[in-house]
Amino acid sequence: MRTLVYEFMLSLRRLFRRRVQTGLMLATFTVSITLSLVSWSLFYTMFLKQPDYDPAGGMVIVGLRGENTGDRLSQITRLDLAAWQARQTVFAELAGFSIYRSTFIATKTSSQRHLGALLSTDIQRMVGAKPMLGRLFTEQEDKFKCAPVIILSEHLWRSRFDSDPKIIGQLVRVDGYDTSIVGVLPDTFHFPNNQDVWLPLGFDIWAKDNNLDDDTIEGLGRLKPGVSLEQATKELQAILESRGSGTIAAKYHMHVALKPIRNYFLFAYMQQSALVLLVLSIVFVLVSCANVANLVMIDFFGRTAELGAVMSLGLPRAASIRSLVFQIGILVTVAALVGLGVLTVAAPLVHQSFVLMLTPYWLHFEFAWHHVAMAAGLSLLSAGVAVLTPTIFLLLANPEQIIRDAAGTSRGTGRGSWRKLLLIGQLALLTVLGIAAGLLMQSNRELREEKWGYDASKIFLGKLDMPRTDFPQQPQRLTLFRKVVAEVTRLPAVAGVAVTDNPPGYSRPPETRYALDPDTLANGHELGRAVETESTEGIFDALGVPFVAGSTFPPVVKESDAKEIIINSSLAARLWPHQDPLGKSLFARFTWMEDKEPTVKLIVRGVVRDFQASGPQSTGNDLIAMPFVSWTPSTLFLVVRGTKSLPRVQELNEAVWRVDPRVVPYFPDSIKHQVDMVLGFIRLTAKLTTIFALAAVLLCGIGVYSITVAQIMQRNREFGIRLALGIDPRRLWLRFVRDHLITASLGVLLGLVIALGAMHALKSLLYGIDEHDPLTYATVALTILVVSALASIPSLYRLQRINPSDCLRSL
């Protein structure tokens, strides 16, 4: 033990004596381990962390998927669920519920929106619900049109009902119904997410009267052991098809789809972003390990005389290997501890960037044992790679030969082909990493705020809702919304107000098909797709987007065969180049239309300046804006532009409640913040990848420096002889650098080839730029070659220190 302690202290002394090299190795280990830990933490949360109610990961959402649903699952009907429950054999449990229900609890002066869910008694049992007050729902309350009852969350019970111990049995106004509070669930209960309230499956205000095959919910099942998603999907599809052609699934050509419940709450591109960062961090670690191995070998080449002497005097090779292991172990341990410390600060910020409005409750950072295990694993990997080559060198070295070579200041004449291969591989990985960073940076630049065409920071965006039971008719709802607009307009410092069903920054992708004649659409063709929105007449004033031709809608619009619309200037120029678009006809098919319905004729009333009408992730920006005519939903968006700054939320809420306290304002925000939330994880991915790339440039310089210096030291005899024969040192160095740059060029070329195939994985994270953008590829390649050339400069100093006389005496 005393010997080991002595060797450990000696290793510390050696690290301290070689401060520059020690600093480079420590920085390399620290950066690579820290970035990898942050990436791992995000990957674990996105792919491996399970909700409390499903620790084994066996629960799946049962839904439907069609041509237009994408990765999103559509709901099933109650009769679909009943048929599956009666005949299925693949689930241990299968029940119905509804994940997201906006629930409105009213008082005499105001109404507030709360996130709710519908639960059946079977679901309560599956997820282990246990009330802290009152009771759970009963089987009688699973039945359609049951008596209205509600269960509160502990948080809501404390914040809105002052922790009233006598709350059970009290009546509150929920969605227009007098509803009895029957229980309170503790804050430790999270299902299906961070819900405020729960309603029984039979209390569904959206259900159609006496038509259970139109009332839609979600299904939740727990697969039996050994049953795959494919097996379960196949069986449920067969049962669904046996119900005949009258189902919603048959009518809309939809099929059964299953998704693990944890993935239901996460967008696919969020998971892809986490995966990309993890892969890039692994590449980064590999490059780091290669760099440290080269730095260690430089040290060995500089200490060959010492190593040969101590081994000739009888010092065991194992002692030299232990010394090396101690040195690298000290460095990776310090790097891992620093990495864990940085993780506790950086990881919460990274996770927060992925949080959207309804992201899962577990999407936050929690320090756990697996972070320590990952830090230990990365340390062992880094140390193992770093000590592998020197250990082999020590095991195979001949002490006498080392001493003879050292006496003549000769380190052999080998050209180190394996080092060239190592450099090629390292630069190839760095090229791939650099191109990924470059593409994401370019994409992030395309998402700049100034491209939106209006000042999103001054525009308030919130939702308005009203109970359908109180306002069942469309004219009632439209009249009330107009009163809200008029009341908000009276507020000081308000420049424009409107309500709309599809605002910018919150919008769906372009889905409305359009053409200049109806036959084109009838034949399944189109000229393009546009974002369609219905609004009150002041929508463009509320956004601060000016008209370039025509005018906005009149206050009162009568229903007719041809609808008046407003479009953006680029769409007008494309459809009618060098013509006046006002009064021109356009034909469209909207997503809600049946195939048998005729196309809608549209007449252009006005043209507005181009602005980002669609969502921030949309690739299309054509706009078709219409007034509310035949249909006004009970939920709309309130858009308010301030004169100098964002309007105050409290003033807007009070204005709404002055019109009618039954109207519920919620989700108050600015369009800018909405956009920032949607793009937060994309921008974070770009920023982290940029950090990877900048650190990779540093590693590239360190790696090229270590390899070139090692090659100079390995070829001392060859260079010394050439110098003795009269060659100019600078000329010899230029030849050496030329050969080195040829090797570097091969590495960059290999990286370009790999990137051409690998960058397809980034496609969903790129906006406004192609994954094969030639400028990005060329810039990265040139940057790496320039850094390689600059990193070769220190080798000139090494070459000039070679003594030709010593090299000649070694012959």
Side-chain angles (χ1 to χ4, degrees), residues 458 489-496 640-647 651:
K458 293 182 180 179
T489 303
R490 297 189 183 99
L491 295 177
V494 168
V640 185
R641 178 167 60 93
T643 54
K644 296 181 179 180
S645 61
L646 192 69
E651 290 182 351

Side-chain angles (χ1 to χ4, degrees), residues 46 53 173 263 279 299 391 412 636 670:
M46 288 289 181
Y53 50 80
R173 190 75 175 171
N263 291 341
V279 171
D299 179 54
T391 299
L636 287 178
S670 66

Side-chain angles (χ1 to χ4, degrees), residues 117-153:
L118 303 184
L119 297 185
S120 66
T121 52
D122 289 336
I123 290 290
Q124 292 175 155
R125 185 185 63 257
M126 286 174 63
V127 299
K130 295 180 180 180
M132 59 181 291
L133 290 177
R135 64 172 176 85
L136 298 176
F137 300 130
T138 64
E139 291 185 2
Q140 189 65 28
E141 289 158 349
D142 286 344
K143 297 178 181 179
F144 194 50
K145 298 298 182 182
C146 70
V149 295
I150 190 172
I151 295 176
L152 308 178
S153 68

Side-chain angles (χ1 to χ4, degrees), residues 75-242:
Q75 294 180 318
I76 60 176
T77 69
R78 292 176 186 254
L79 292 184
D80 290 336
L81 178 63
W84 288 329
Q85 287 174 323
R87 299 171 55 185
Q88 66 86 21
T89 62
V90 291
F91 290 101
E93 297 174 287
L94 178 62
F97 76 118
S98 188
I99 290 183
Y100 291 130
R101 290 294 170 111
S102 288
T103 305
F104 304 103
I105 300 179
T107 64
K108 293 181 179 180
T109 58
S110 68
S111 294
Q112 294 184 20
R113 180 261 186 193
H114 300 282
L115 182 61
L118 303 184
L119 297 185
S120 66
T121 52
D122 289 336
I123 290 290
Q124 292 175 155
R125 185 185 63 257
M126 286 174 63
V127 299
K130 295 180 180 180
M132 59 181 291
L133 290 177
R135 64 172 176 85
L136 298 176
F137 300 130
T138 64
E139 291 185 2
Q140 189 65 28
E141 289 158 349
D142 286 344
K143 297 178 181 179
F144 194 50
K145 298 298 182 182
C146 70
V149 295
I150 190 172
I151 295 176
L152 308 178
S153 68
E154 180 183 355
H155 169 73
L156 184 62
W157 172 60
R158 295 187 185 281
S159 61
R160 192 166 181 188
F161 296 94
D162 298 324
S163 304
D164 184 358
K166 300 179 180 180
I167 192 70
I168 304 303
Q170 292 186 19
L171 294 180
V172 291
R173 190 75 175 171
V174 178
D175 296 335
Y177 294 89
D178 289 328
T179 305
S180 176
I181 300 173
V182 298
V184 177
L185 283 168
D187 283 341
T188 54
F189 180 75
H190 301 279
F191 181 84
N193 208 350
N194 270 332
Q195 255 70 17
D196 295 324
V197 297
W198 294 268
L199 307 171
L201 198 61
F203 180 20
D204 189 353
I205 65 169
W206 301 100
K208 309 293 190 301
D209 290 336
N210 302 319
N211 189 354
L212 296 185
D213 217 2
D214 274 342
D215 179 31
T216 57
I217 55 176
E218 281 96 1
L220 179 66
R222 192 190 304 275
L223 291 171
K224 290 181 178 179
V227 176
S228 67
L229 288 176
E230 292 75 16
Q231 290 174 300
T233 302
K234 185 176 180 180
E235 178 176 286
L236 296 188
Q237 181 65 32
I239 297 173
L240 183 64
E241 292 174 355
S242 70

Side-chain angles (χ1 to χ4, degrees), residues 331-602:
L331 293 177
V332 297
T333 300
V334 173
L337 292 175
V338 172
L340 288 171
V342 174
L343 175 71
T344 59
V345 177
L349 300 176
V350 171
H351 282 68
Q352 184 61 35
S353 297
F354 281 75
V355 172
L356 300 177
M357 194 167 295
L358 295 174
T359 45
Y361 75 88
W362 65 84
L363 189 59
H364 63 273
F365 172 73
E366 290 180 342
F367 190 84
W369 64 268
H370 61 84
H371 294 112
V372 178
M374 179 58 64
L378 290 169
S379 300
L380 290 174
L381 172 65
S382 302
V385 174
V387 302
L388 180 62
T389 303
T391 299
I392 294 174
F393 175 83
L394 285 171
L395 292 174
L396 299 180
N398 185 313
E400 290 78 11
Q401 183 64 40
I402 291 177
I403 293 174
R404 284 197 300 269
D405 290 342
T409 322
S410 173
R411 276 79 174 178
T413 58
R415 295 182 180 272
S417 298
W418 64 274
R419 289 188 179 279
K420 291 185 178 181
L421 293 175
L422 181 63
L423 180 62
I424 289 173
Q426 181 177 339
L427 293 182
L429 292 176
L430 289 171
T431 302
V432 174
L433 183 61
I435 290 173
L439 292 174
L440 288 168
M441 290 170 62
Q442 289 276 81
S443 174
N444 197 33
R445 199 173 296 117
E446 290 295 318
L447 297 172
R448 291 174 302 186
E449 293 173 15
E450 57 265 26
K451 291 195 172 187
W452 281 76
Y454 57 88
D455 189 351
S457 64
K458 293 182 180 179
I459 301 177
F460 170 88
L461 179 63
K463 273 191 171 183
L464 297 177
D465 209 318
M466 60 185 69
R468 283 194 176 187
T469 54
D470 294 337
F471 302 94
Q473 301 299 321
Q474 183 268 347
Q476 289 179 289
R477 297 194 288 268
L478 182 56
T479 298
L480 190 58
F481 280 130
R482 286 191 174 279
K483 289 181 179 179
V484 170
V485 170
E487 186 65 26
V488 174
T489 303
R490 297 189 183 99
L491 295 177
V494 168
V497 186
V499 291
T500 180
D501 68 341
N502 191 20
Y506 209 106
S507 59
R508 302 178 295 269
E511 295 178 331
T512 297
R513 302 165 53 217
Y514 62 82
L516 291 176
D517 63 88
D519 294 336
T520 300
L521 295 174
N523 294 328
H525 302 294
E526 60 198 51
L527 290 182
R529 299 200 176 197
V531 174
E532 179 265 330
T533 179
E534 293 185 59
S535 311
T536 53
E537 59 274 9
I539 183 62
F540 298 107
D541 191 33
L543 292 173
V545 176
F547 278 81
V548 297
S551 61
T552 189
F553 316 119
V556 179
V557 181
K558 295 182 179 180
E559 187 170 2
S560 62
D561 293 336
K563 298 180 182 293
E564 289 190 317
I565 62 169
I566 296 170
I567 62 176
N568 57 308
S569 57
S570 60
L571 176 59
R574 192 164 63 254
L575 293 178
W576 303 285
H578 310 297
Q579 299 180 48
D580 183 2
L582 299 182
K584 291 288 195 297
S585 297
L586 187 64
F587 295 86
R589 290 198 65 81
F590 303 105
T591 54
W592 43 263
M593 294 177 64
E594 302 282 352
D595 293 338
K596 60 185 178 182
E597 292 185 65
T599 57
V600 179
K601 183 179 180 180
L602 309 173

Side-chain angles (χ1 to χ4, degrees), residues 7 315-325 394-395:
E7 290 178 348
L315 183 69
R317 298 172 190 258
S320 298
I321 295 175
R322 282 198 303 271
S323 176
L324 173 63
V325 171
L394 285 171
L395 292 174

